[in-house]
Structures are given as structure tokens and as C-alpha cells.
Amino acid sequence: QVQLVESGGGLVQDGGSLRLSCAASGRTFSFSSYAMGWFRQAPGKEREFVAAIARSGGLTRYSDSVKGRFTISRDNAKNTVYLQMNSLKPEDAAVYYCAARPLATATMVHTMEYDYNSWGQGTQVTVSS
């Protein structure tokens, strides 16, 4: 099982930017074999898909609400996945979670929670209007 630790959350003004990081670790794992995703959960709402990236990094997918503003990327040498968030809006405020799916197909991205079996503890993003 891989361990995931998110960082980079915080308070930002409407229209501002943040970059989230998710560092993966484990006794025996190969980060490059994992598909990765970001999800978020706002108070009183269900957790929702934000962005996903294939294990090679060559394929990405975004929710309609963040498309064009957020960018997911990964550095397999650093065992880290990132979420660059630009033009943040108050409705983007949530706890953001990183997720990992092992033994992923190279050309697939995954947008459903049940596709992932490892989750981080989350990092809070607050956007002030």
C-alpha cells in the first residue's frame, strides 16, 4: 500500500493561485505504475472528482468546473503529483485529496472514487471573496 501526503493548501483570495503537492511513499512500490487523481470535498457536499493523470503523465482529465484553470502533473522521479490551481473561486474551497490506483493501464485515467485504493489525509483550500 502506498502512503500519500498532500501539502500546499491554504488561504487565497478570489482569483489567486495555489499549487498542491502529493508525495507518495511505500516500502515496495513503483510510483510510475500508479494512476493518480485529485478529488475535493466541500462542507456539506459529497467528495467530487477534480483531475486525474495517467501513470505516464501523457493523459489527463478534468472536471468541467476546473477545466482551463487547474493543471495536474506528475514527476515520477520525485514520486509526486501536483495540482496547479489558477483563477481560484470561492466555490473551489474544499478539502483536496490525492488518490492512487496501482497497476494502472498506461493510457487510462480514472475519475471515480472506487477506482482508487489509496488516499491522502487531505489539505484545506480556502478562497476568500
Side-chain angles (χ1 to χ4, degrees), residues 43-89:
K45 295 186 177 181
E46 294 188 351
R47 189 156 56 184
E48 64 175 359
F49 167 74
V50 175
I53 189 165
R55 67 179 196 184
S56 67
L59 188 62
T60 59
R61 187 168 295 172
Y62 300 91
S63 67
D64 288 343
S65 62
V66 307
K67 197 174 298 181
R69 299 186 297 121
F70 290 11
T71 302
I72 188 172
S73 62
R74 65 190 296 161
D75 185 337
N76 286 346
K78 295 183 177 180
N79 294 346
T80 301
V81 63
Y82 304 97
L83 186 67
Q84 177 67 44
M85 306 186 296
N86 298 328
S87 302
L88 281 160
K89 306 174 182 179

Side-chain angles (χ1 to χ4, degrees), residues 2 4 22-26 28-36 53-59 74-81 100-108 110:
V2 63
L4 304 173
C22 172
S25 63
T28 54
F29 88 110
S30 174
F31 183 69
S32 62
S33 70
Y34 283 76
M36 302 297 294
I53 189 165
R55 67 179 196 184
S56 67
L59 188 62
R74 65 190 296 161
D75 185 337
N76 286 346
K78 295 183 177 180
N79 294 346
T80 301
V81 63
R101 174 189 172 95
L103 303 176
T105 303
T107 56
M108 286 188 67
H110 301 276

